Amino acid sequence: MELRTKEMLTSMGLYALLVLLVYHLAFSQVDSYDVTPIGAGLLWLAIVFTSLLGLNRSLVHEKDQGCLEALLLSPIDRPVIFFGKAAGNLLFLLIVEVIIVPLFHFLFLQNIEMSGAVWMLALALFVGSLGIAGVGTLLATMSVNTKGKDFILAVLFVPVMFPLLYAMVAALSAVITGEVLFPGEWVGEYWRALGLGAGYDAIMLLIAFGLYEFIIGA
Amino acid sequence: METSGGLGISLEVCGLSRVFGARRALDGVSFTLPEGAFLSIFGPNGAGKTTLLRVLSTLAPPSSGTATVLGKDVLEDASKLREHIGLISHNPLLYPDLSAEENLQFFADIYCLDCPQERIRELLSAVELDHRCLDIVRTFSRGMLQRLSIARALLHSPEMLFLDEPYSGLDPHAVDILDALLARIRKRHTFVMVSHDLEKGLELCSHALILAKGKVVLFEERNRIDVGEFKGLYRQTVGMGVS
């Protein structure tokens, strides 16, 4: 369906570009600025905002025409529906990241030399995005039947995601400015933060797997 | 298990209740339906008809009591049961941005059908939509949507079909097509239909049930029903209000 409409990818991509544009406008108001120390936080902020937009729309096609009921009537297990939806959300988020991360680097980080390799950056982004897609899909399913679903998803999402975001900002900071912030220790700091993020993902995905049957049927 | 007429039982409901907060949408519903029967469920708005259909089709769990459909418990054997049931609702349950054929292909994949293309062509022809098979569903009229919805529900050849106001919003041509389809598959299926249309419901059914305030007011075989008395009783239950 997304291949036909490209609704989610277009809206998420455009929104992410707009967020970067706003960052750029805000920082260009001062003569000289260095966003390096807060670069990781800014990037995750853009990713979280963008993912909220996508998550809000992830069950809209099913909800609008009652297709969710057709899926629930089919002989597939509820957790399979969860993994399908979460995989879709993860894929869209990764596609958007492929566009915005190089652009973010071009706009804000082109004058610095990153401490870590590109694969370390990609791994941190993947671990963070996996948690966002998994927990976000669960929360989007919970909020899809509520009156103010957009508002409720945003209110639930950020507090629940806080431990992951905290860890992933630390991991990304280590990759971007590790040598400056934690001289000699940034690799250990990176793996510690990544481990925390991966642990959070594993626990939350297991909880989502266990709860999805009740939540989608409610 | 067999009924007194020697037929197997396709649907057995025993003390079924469904509670939403303080409201009892279903309150101790019990009845038994033989194989190949066509049950029409009547009742005023809010009587619990759709809730009963949702519980029987595994979309909502019962709060208490049991329901066995085709020998499978709606709670314990829900996943297996779903392979054998279909639902036609007033909601089309179709993806509006996919074509008719793509919608059926999607659900055929979910049901892991053998030779889905053949089955899809057969059903699109039966609902007279073969000439629109590549068109996006969003462009379909209400009648066409309902016809495609019927094709979707019949895709996996379910043994039991639940129909929730299937005639609602259909033009006479679409009504004729639905009638012809139901007549064609009548012998091989058991039907449970929720309807407000007394004439249509009684014309089709082998058994009739009146529900009011979540309780069974009447459950009877069609050939034992006096239409005049039945209509009187129905009018009375409409005055009883909702659950």
Side-chain angles (χ1 to χ4, degrees), chain B residues 54-222:
Chain B
R54 286 179 63 81
V55 171
L56 296 179
S57 59
T58 75
L59 285 174
S63 303
S64 63
T66 60
T68 311
V69 181
L70 302 167
K72 294 173 180 68
D73 188 274
V74 291
L75 264 184
E76 285 166 18
D77 307 314
S79 194
K80 279 183 191 164
L81 175 58
R82 289 183 196 119
E83 292 173 23
H84 305 280
I85 59 171
L87 172 71
I88 298 170
S89 157
H90 42 261
N91 235 346
L93 317 186
L94 296 161
Y95 285 97
D97 291 310
L98 296 182
S99 71
E101 196 176 71
E102 285 168 337
N103 261 291
L104 296 187
Q105 183 65 55
F106 174 76
F107 288 105
D109 289 344
I110 285 182
Y111 283 95
C112 304
L113 294 191
D114 294 330
C115 306
Q117 280 308 320
E118 201 177 310
R119 180 77 179 142
I120 289 168
R121 272 197 297 273
E122 179 196 335
L123 282 168
L124 283 173
S125 167
V127 296
E128 297 185 16
L129 283 174
D130 35 359
H131 63 297
R132 299 287 304 267
C133 66
L134 299 176
D135 291 352
I136 300 298
V137 162
R138 192 181 288 284
T139 64
F140 283 16
S141 67
R142 164 80 188 132
M144 290 161 75
L145 277 176
Q146 192 65 332
R147 274 146 59 191
L148 187 59
S149 168
I150 294 163
R152 178 199 49 75
L154 295 176
L155 200 59
H156 58 295
S157 308
E159 290 158 55
M160 179 167 285
L161 209 53
F162 295 102
L163 306 117
D164 190 2
E165 304 277 5
Y167 289 93
S168 143
L170 292 189
D171 60 39
H173 179 59
V175 168
D176 288 345
I177 290 176
L178 180 54
D179 279 344
L181 259 172
L182 291 181
R184 227 173 75 183
I185 59 173
R186 180 80 185 254
K187 280 183 186 163
R188 287 170 284 142
H189 298 75
T190 305
F191 296 85
V192 178
M193 179 173 82
V194 161
S195 180
H196 282 292
D197 186 343
L198 278 184
E199 304 293 336
K200 194 76 193 170
L202 286 173
E203 176 195 319
L204 290 169
C205 74
S206 64
H207 293 69
L209 186 148
I210 297 180
L211 208 59
K213 291 187 173 179
K215 291 180 177 164
V216 176
V217 176
L218 176 133
F219 175 70
E220 194 61 89
E221 282 183 36
R222 171 68 182 88

Side-chain angles (χ1 to χ4, degrees), chain A residues 8-172:
Chain A
M8 259 171 84
L9 276 176
T10 312
S11 55
M12 286 170 76
L14 278 175
Y15 187 76
L17 292 177
L18 282 172
V19 172
L20 295 192
L21 184 69
V22 171
Y23 285 171
H24 191 65
L25 285 173
F27 288 116
S28 64
Q29 299 300 309
V30 287
D31 289 339
S32 65
Y33 63 88
D34 179 16
V35 298
T36 316
I38 56 166
L42 285 178
L43 184 56
W44 276 114
L45 201 59
I47 292 170
V48 166
F49 284 160
T50 307
S51 66
L52 273 172
L53 196 70
L55 289 167
N56 265 323
R57 298 212 48 82
S58 64
L59 281 159
V60 161
H61 292 302
E62 277 76 13
K63 197 63 200 165
D64 276 354
Q65 300 289 331
C67 291
L68 195 57
E69 286 199 348
L71 285 181
L72 295 179
L73 273 168
S74 62
I76 48 174
D77 292 331
R78 280 25 179 175
V80 175
I81 299 174
F82 166 74
F83 280 120
K85 278 285 161 200
N89 286 330
L90 176 64
L91 181 69
F92 297 142
L93 196 53
L94 291 176
I95 291 173
V96 172
E97 284 171 11
V98 165
I99 300 165
I100 66 165
V101 172
L103 191 64
F104 186 86
H105 185 267
F106 173 76
L107 290 175
F108 304 111
L109 303 172
Q110 60 176 318
N111 296 325
I112 67 141
E113 194 181 331
M114 283 206 309
S115 307
V118 173
W119 69 264
M120 294 175 95
L121 179 92
L123 187 61
L125 286 171
F126 180 80
V127 170
S129 303
L130 182 66
I132 288 174
V135 177
T137 303
L138 181 76
L139 297 178
T141 310
M142 283 169 72
S143 63
V144 75
N145 286 321
T146 58
K147 219 173 178 182
K149 58 179 186 291
D150 299 358
F151 166 75
I152 286 173
L153 176 62
V155 165
L156 290 174
F157 185 75
V158 177
V160 174
M161 294 303 296
F162 184 79
L164 178 70
L165 291 175
Y166 187 81
M168 287 303 99
V169 169
L172 220 54

